[in-house]
């Protein structure tokens, strides 16, 4: 009996399975037949086969149906991978595509309505499926989660933030009322008055008489004092009156100052506590605000825009925005890492872009170049007129006028 040809465990069958394992070239794949060929000769033979010809006849009957089906499957697979793998993070489109085509059973792009990945990404942005933007590194996509549960959680978070802001505004208003009430009470309270030192008992006379005999006698004669007749008057009270009144005046003045310091420290503690609370709520890792002047500090945008000043025309998302240069009027899209804030001259108007007073307009009062901070005066909100010290350079920026 002759040896049986072929078989699952023959060396040729094993070699063929090893060659077929993994991804093959996209141009030798037939989407209609879902068959991957290893080389050009195999693909040519497949195209001449009877099974492939039958599939072409089916495709010719209704090409739009098959094309839409393949496009829909490709889009669903891409978006599902983007949602599961990256969530709502901003990621490079090609990274998602490379992970998508790692599956051998994926729908190939040459069978869809899109010829390139760029066209597909643009179509996603146009249809509102993702947030897309173009940088010098290529196209980036960000998935838009429209799940009802996710939307409900986002609305609950926004409602909580709004409630916290309302409570904060009420607290700030209450503190402002307390400060105004304290300032009014301070003006009404009389300050200690210092008068010229005068001796009250000028008419008193003290006389001493000494006998020439053996016994010394002391005769002291007093006129009737104007105060309590039972009050005993001695030489210490007579001659030390001015010094004691001066000490009493100092004690009264010191007591008034101590009371003022205690009142001031209590208000200061309340304001410090509220400022820490505002700082915790408003301190974010993003700071771009519409209408502020910024300076381009990255050379990735080109030497033409390096060190140029511009103003933020529109904020696209939390970290990127559309800016317009002040000198040439060019409009470009930048990330917040490419720019920095601009500190104007003293007396100019600025906007607080981060920290406790985020979003408030203010006037620059003083700049401390040693500590890299400044002093501002708030011009908006419930705390108008408040002077705030120790604001860092990166927390404020010049307003565009």
């Amino acid at each position: 009996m002759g040896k049986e040809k072929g078989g699952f465990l023959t060396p040729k069958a094993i070699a063929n399975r090893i060659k077929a394992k993994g991804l093959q070239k996209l141009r030798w794949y037939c989407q209609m037949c879902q068959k991957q060929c290893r080389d050009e000769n195999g693909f040519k033979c497949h195209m001449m086969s009877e099974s492939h010809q039958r599939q072409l006849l089916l495709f010719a009957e209704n090409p739009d149906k098959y094309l839409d089906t393949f496009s829909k499957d490709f889009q669903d697979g891409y978006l599902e991978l983007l949602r599961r793998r990256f969530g709502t993070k901003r990621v490079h489109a090609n990274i998602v595509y490379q992970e998508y085509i790692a599956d051998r059973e994926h729908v190939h792009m040459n069978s869809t309505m899109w010829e390139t990945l760029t066209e597909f990404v643009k179509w996603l942005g146009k249809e509102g499926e993702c947030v897309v933007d173009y940088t010098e590194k290529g196209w980036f996509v960000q998935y838009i989660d429209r799940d009802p549960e996710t939307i409900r959680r986002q609305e609950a978070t926004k409602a909580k933030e709004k409630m916290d802001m309302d409570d904060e505004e009420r607290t700030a208003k209450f503190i402002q009322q307390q400060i105004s009430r304290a300032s009014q009470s301070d003006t009404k309270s009389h300050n200690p008055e210092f008068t010229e030192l005068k001796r009250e008992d000028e008419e008193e006379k003290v006389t001493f008489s000494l006998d020439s005999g053996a016994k010394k006698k002391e005769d002291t004669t007093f006129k009737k004092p104007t105060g309590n007749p039972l009050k005993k008057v001695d030489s210490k009270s007579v001659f030390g009156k001015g010094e004691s009144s001066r000490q009493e005046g100092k004690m009264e003045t010191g007591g008034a100052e101590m009371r003022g310091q205690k009142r001031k420290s209590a208000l200061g503690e309340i304001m410090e506590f509220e400022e820490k609370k505002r700082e915790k709520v408003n301190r974010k890792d993003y700071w771009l605000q519409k209408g502020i002047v910024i300076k381009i500090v990255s050379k990735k945008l080109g030497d033409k825009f390096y060190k140029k000043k511009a103003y933020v025309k529109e904020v696209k998302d939390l970290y990127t925005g559309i800016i317009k240069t002040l000198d040439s009027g060019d409009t470009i899209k930048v990330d917040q890492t490419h720019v920095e804030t601009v500190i104007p001259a003293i007396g100019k108007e600025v906007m607080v872009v981060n920290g406790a007073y985020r979003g408030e307009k203010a006037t620059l009062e003083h700049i401390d170049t040693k500590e890299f901070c400044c002093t501002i005066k708030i011009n908006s909100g419930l705390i108008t007129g408040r002077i705030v010290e120790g604001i860092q350079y990166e927390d404020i920026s010049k307003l565009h006028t």
Side-chain angles (χ1 to χ4, degrees), residues 298-315:
S298 176
K299 291 185 177 180
K300 295 181 179 180
L301 302 177
D303 295 335
K304 175 183 177 181
F305 302 110
Y306 184 59
K307 295 294 183 181
K308 298 292 184 181
K309 290 185 179 180
Y311 73 93
V312 180
K313 190 176 180 181
E314 182 184 357
V315 178

Side-chain angles (χ1 to χ4, degrees), residues 63-100:
D64 295 336
K65 175 185 175 182
Y66 287 97
L67 194 64
D68 293 342
T69 301
F70 292 146
S71 301
K72 184 70 167 54
D73 294 341
F74 179 82
Q75 175 191 345
D76 293 343
Y78 188 91
L79 291 179
E80 180 65 19
L81 177 63
L82 178 62
R83 183 187 67 84
R84 288 188 293 102
R85 177 69 173 82
F86 301 99
T88 56
K89 294 182 180 179
R90 179 172 172 266
V91 63
H92 200 284
N94 193 43
I95 294 177
V96 186
Y97 179 72
Q98 294 298 327
E99 293 194 15
Y100 173 72

Side-chain angles (χ1 to χ4, degrees), residues 158-194:
K158 290 181 179 179
K160 185 177 181 300
E161 291 180 355
K162 184 178 180 181
M163 188 179 300
D164 292 340
M165 288 299 295
D166 293 341
D167 294 340
E168 184 180 350
E169 290 177 357
R170 284 196 295 269
T171 306
K173 186 176 181 180
F174 173 74
I175 292 174
Q176 193 67 24
Q177 292 175 355
Q178 293 291 96
I179 294 173
S180 60
R181 191 180 297 115
S183 61
Q184 291 176 2
S185 62
D186 287 341
T187 54
K188 290 181 180 179
S189 61
H190 65 281
N191 294 326
E193 297 180 358
F194 299 96

Side-chain angles (χ1 to χ4, degrees), residues 13-115:
I14 295 174
N16 289 338
R17 287 197 300 272
I18 291 175
K19 292 178 181 179
K21 186 178 182 181
L23 296 175
Q24 305 295 320
K25 288 190 176 182
L26 179 62
R27 59 180 177 174
W28 295 330
Y29 181 82
C30 178
Q31 185 66 55
M32 285 296 297
C33 304
Q34 296 184 358
K35 179 175 177 60
Q36 176 70 60
C37 300
R38 290 197 301 270
D39 52 23
E40 187 175 359
N41 185 37
F43 187 67
K44 183 178 180 180
C45 293
H46 169 72
M47 293 180 65
M48 296 173 60
S49 65
E50 183 179 356
S51 61
H52 181 72
Q53 296 297 328
R54 286 197 301 268
Q55 293 294 332
L56 287 183
L57 290 175
L58 293 175
F59 181 81
E61 292 178 359
N62 194 354
D64 295 336
K65 175 185 175 182
Y66 287 97
L67 194 64
D68 293 342
T69 301
F70 292 146
S71 301
K72 184 70 167 54
D73 294 341
F74 179 82
Q75 175 191 345
D76 293 343
Y78 188 91
L79 291 179
E80 180 65 19
L81 177 63
L82 178 62
R83 183 187 67 84
R84 288 188 293 102
R85 177 69 173 82
F86 301 99
T88 56
K89 294 182 180 179
R90 179 172 172 266
V91 63
H92 200 284
N94 193 43
I95 294 177
V96 186
Y97 179 72
Q98 294 298 327
E99 293 194 15
Y100 173 72
I101 65 175
D103 182 14
R104 291 186 61 186
E105 304 300 328
H106 74 277
V107 179
H108 290 64
M109 185 176 286
N110 62 353
S111 62
T112 65
M113 67 176 71
W114 307 287
E115 295 182 359

